[in-house]
Amino acid sequence: MEIIAGKARHVNYEAIASIIYTIPKLAGVGLTENQAKEQGIEVRIGKIPVRANSRALCSDDVEGMVKFVADAKADRILRRAHFASCRFRINR
């Protein structure tokens, strides 16, 4: 859209999700824990088992984990990643 409007193009590669299509699948978006630390950001890590998700419980597909990397000072999420089966989804 920027190009059509005659403006400079900008791509925020941190906002592009990555996924590995295996069973279970691996997916994530944002800065990794190591990338954040390399940038001098103090991080907090949160891990939630997929078992805590009601949709996963209903489908009896409870294996996996969701990991959040957050900026400890700004209280802002830097990354969301999950390791779970193909049936598990995290809505925005």
Side-chain angles (χ1 to χ4, degrees), residues 3 6-7 11 13-14 17 22 25 27 32 37 43 52-53 57 60-61 64 66 78 88-90:
I3 294 172
K7 298 181 180 181
V11 178
Y13 289 101
E14 293 174 7
T22 57
K25 71 180 175 184
T32 66
K37 287 179 180 178
V43 298
N53 180 282
L57 288 172
D60 195 31
D61 196 8
V66 180
L78 303 173
F88 178 71
R89 268 189 231 183
I90 301 176

Side-chain angles (χ1 to χ4, degrees), residues 5-79:
K7 298 181 180 181
R9 177 176 63 177
H10 173 72
V11 178
N12 181 359
Y13 289 101
E14 293 174 7
I16 299 173
S18 61
I19 187 166
I20 300 174
Y21 289 102
T22 57
I23 298 175
K25 71 180 175 184
L26 299 158
V29 63
L31 289 175
T32 66
E33 183 177 351
N34 289 337
Q35 289 170 330
K37 287 179 180 178
E38 287 171 2
Q39 292 182 18
I41 301 170
E42 183 182 335
V43 298
R44 284 190 349 202
I45 305 300
K47 295 180 182 177
I48 304 167
V50 170
R51 180 176 307 278
N53 180 282
S54 59
R55 181 178 179 161
L57 288 172
C58 290
S59 65
D60 195 31
D61 196 8
V62 295
E63 297 302 319
M65 177 189 69
V66 180
K67 179 181 177 179
F68 291 93
V69 177
D71 182 326
K73 292 180 182 173
D75 202 27
R76 182 174 67 102
I77 295 175
L78 303 173
R79 179 172 182 81

